Amino acid sequence: MFGSLRVRNYRLFFSGQVISNIGTWMQRIAQDWLVFQLSGNNPIALGIAVALQFIPTVLLSLYAGVLADRVDKRKLCIAIQTGIGLQALVLGLLDVGGLVALWQVYILCFVLGIFSALDVPSRQSFVAEMVGRKQITNAVALNSSVFNMARIVGPAIAGFAITWVGTGWMFLANAASTLAVITGLLLMNPDKLFRGPAVVRAKGQLREGVEYVRGRSDLVTVMVLVFFVSTFGITFFTSLAIVAGNVFGTQADGYGLLSTLLAVGTFTGSLMAARRGVRGNPRVRLLLIAAFSLGAIEFVAAFMPTYLAFGIALIPLGFATITFLNTANSLVQTSVSPEMRGRVMGIYVLVLIGGNPIGGPMVGWMADAFGGRSPFIIGGVVSALAAVACAIVLVRRGGMSPRYRISGLRLLFANGRATTATSTRRAL
């Protein structure tokens, strides 16, 4: 389960992520609650903050992928983490000093979004450089376990700490936590990285990455599914605050507890993914099942009558969510050429996060117009239908590009002839 930790460079990265991700989730809870307070519990204002944070992903993630293929990813990650730390420091000082206003939070959400758009493709593709191709699936799962362990600890700390000392100190704590990641990156041995061939700067590299994905029916289908599920189904980061405050009438601690219960499920799912990561390549069938389960559980959770029942339903929802996200990430990373990995991950991040400028305001509008439970109802239906539609498409098209294989959905060529669609359906 922990095979990737045998690699020293990855251990340094992993250790820094443990600390930094806790700070990130403390800031996330504090930021949502601060916007909620400054706006008078207005769900639309919260949706705007989410949209501003994710708009840069739409604008920059493709170019961030190109940049990740061209430059030293370790140095790029250091620069990005420095920027994220400075953003948290400024917001924290404004809040602690009593000078913070809603428009300032909006601006700093946009600034954070710029750094995040650059960070995700670089960091995701850097994982492969730290551990090598054989350990990618395991390392991705361990990254998720850290991320989701932090989702248990961070919201739990923030939910109660906000009631004692306010939101400002959460931002300052996150600024300090970025030093752990920067230190780990600086201590790495660059000579031990599994670097692919350098991509020389040239015209048309972004278009080349897009054409590469377009030529892979398997990647296109996975990314379409990721877009619909992430945009309409995985909206918990906005909708949980609305449900906590407007449906069940709780305060920041109630919101933090709901986030923690969701994270219990995602953390458990991450550990299971780490176990699967040492057994072989990810399976498309698992991706489809996880997407459908996510939608079905989310739909059922929307009708839970009490705060406790709703919170308990978040545990299996978190498990299905992280299983879906981990499987999608691993499928993409293990099936692309090393020299294309940064650009493909840039496209993946675009479809994963790029829908949030739509989803954030949409969730706020739906909650305002139809009630706080409506985002869960609609998101669950869309996710389940998207999984069914993509499964039908994959079966009818016979699975994948003939040059690539993902365990669970095979299209094998022998003597220049493709296997039949029937055998592909059996593999699925």
Side-chain angles (χ1 to χ4, degrees):
M1 185 186 297
F2 303 102
S4 299
L5 293 178
R6 296 190 183 99
V7 181
R8 178 180 180 274
N9 282 340
Y10 183 71
R11 282 201 307 273
L12 291 169
F13 176 82
F14 184 89
S15 301
Q17 290 293 309
V18 170
I19 299 171
S20 179
N21 277 311
I22 292 175
T24 297
W25 278 104
M26 290 172 65
Q27 168 155 336
R28 183 59 197 256
I29 298 299
Q31 178 182 290
D32 288 352
W33 202 253
L34 179 62
V35 170
F36 224 39
Q37 287 181 323
L38 293 175
S39 65
N41 287 19
N42 186 344
I44 295 178
L46 186 57
I48 292 172
V50 172
L52 287 171
Q53 187 167 325
F54 290 107
I55 282 175
T57 299
V58 178
L59 303 176
L60 298 176
S61 63
L62 294 180
Y63 296 96
V66 175
L67 184 64
D69 281 336
R70 288 178 180 171
V71 304
D72 186 320
K73 295 181 181 63
R74 184 179 69 94
K75 293 180 180 178
L76 180 59
C77 288
I78 291 172
I80 292 170
Q81 288 298 316
T82 301
I84 291 174
L86 291 174
Q87 183 272 348
L89 178 63
V90 171
L91 183 54
L93 292 175
L94 286 172
D95 195 1
V96 170
L99 304 174
V100 69
L102 186 59
W103 66 270
Q104 294 170 335
V105 180
Y106 282 162
I107 291 175
L108 289 169
C109 282
F110 187 77
V111 171
L112 179 60
I114 292 174
F115 288 114
S116 297
L118 298 173
D119 174 61
V120 179
S122 305
R123 178 166 42 82
Q124 294 281 9
S125 56
F126 186 49
V127 170
E129 287 194 3
M130 286 185 282
V131 300
R133 187 180 184 86
K134 292 183 179 179
Q135 294 277 17
I136 289 177
T137 302
N138 180 253
V140 167
L142 288 178
N143 281 352
S144 294
S145 69
V146 172
F147 181 78
N148 291 290
M149 180 275 294
R151 287 185 63 183
I152 298 173
V153 178
I157 294 174
F160 292 100
I162 288 171
T163 61
W164 295 337
V165 298
T167 54
W169 289 102
M170 305 302 103
F171 303 126
L172 296 178
N174 184 41
S177 74
T178 60
L179 296 175
V181 180
I182 295 172
T183 301
L185 291 167
L186 290 172
L187 291 175
M188 286 183 182
N189 183 354
D191 295 331
K192 296 293 185 179
L193 295 174
F194 297 83
R195 286 175 171 161
V199 178
V200 180
R201 181 185 179 92
K203 291 183 178 180
Q205 288 179 328
L206 176 57
R207 183 170 59 253
E208 184 182 5
V210 174
E211 291 298 324
Y212 177 85
V213 172
R214 285 181 59 186
R216 295 276 306 277
S217 61
D218 57 310
L219 289 179
V220 171
T221 305
V222 169
M223 290 191 180
V224 168
L225 179 60
V226 168
F227 174 79
F228 278 98
V229 174
S230 63
T231 301
F232 299 96
I234 308 177
T235 59
F236 322 128
F237 311 117
T238 303
S239 55
L240 276 186
I242 296 170
V243 170
N246 291 4
V247 175
F248 295 111
T250 64
Q251 299 300 314
D253 54 348
Y255 172 38
L257 180 58
L258 289 181
S259 297
T260 299
L261 289 170
L262 180 70
V264 168
T266 55
F267 180 63
T268 305
S270 298
L271 293 180
M272 292 297 294
R275 287 181 61 86
R276 288 193 300 270
V278 300
R279 297 174 183 172
N281 290 332
R283 300 175 65 91
V284 172
R285 181 171 60 185
L286 178 61
L287 179 73
L288 297 170
I289 292 173
F292 183 83
S293 300
L294 186 159
I297 297 169
E298 185 174 11
F299 181 81
V300 171
F303 297 95
M304 291 293 123
T306 65
Y307 175 85
L308 178 60
F310 179 81
I312 293 174
L314 293 178
I315 297 176
L317 179 58
F319 186 96
T321 299
I322 202 60
T323 301
F324 171 76
L325 292 176
N326 275 352
T327 306
N329 190 316
S330 298
L331 280 169
V332 173
Q333 291 222 47
T334 56
S335 64
V336 301
S337 303
E339 66 273 13
M340 284 287 182
R341 186 171 287 120
R343 279 167 281 182
V344 174
M345 290 309 297
I347 297 171
Y348 173 77
V349 171
L350 175 62
V351 300
L352 176 66
I353 304 178
N356 281 278
I358 302 170
M362 177 193 67
V363 167
W365 172 78
M366 285 192 300
D368 189 54
F370 305 112
R373 298 177 186 268
S374 60
F376 279 79
I377 297 173
I378 296 172
V381 171
V382 171
S383 298
L385 290 178
V388 172
C390 286
I392 293 172
V393 169
L394 283 170
V395 170
R396 288 184 175 179
R397 289 186 177 180
M400 297 182 58
S401 168
R403 294 180 58 198
Y404 296 87
R405 170 186 175 276
I406 295 178
S407 179
L409 186 62
R410 302 178 180 92
L411 188 60
L412 303 176
F413 271 67
N415 298 322
R417 293 176 299 175
T419 56
T420 63
T422 302
S423 62
T424 303
R425 291 189 186 99
R426 285 200 301 267
L428 175 62

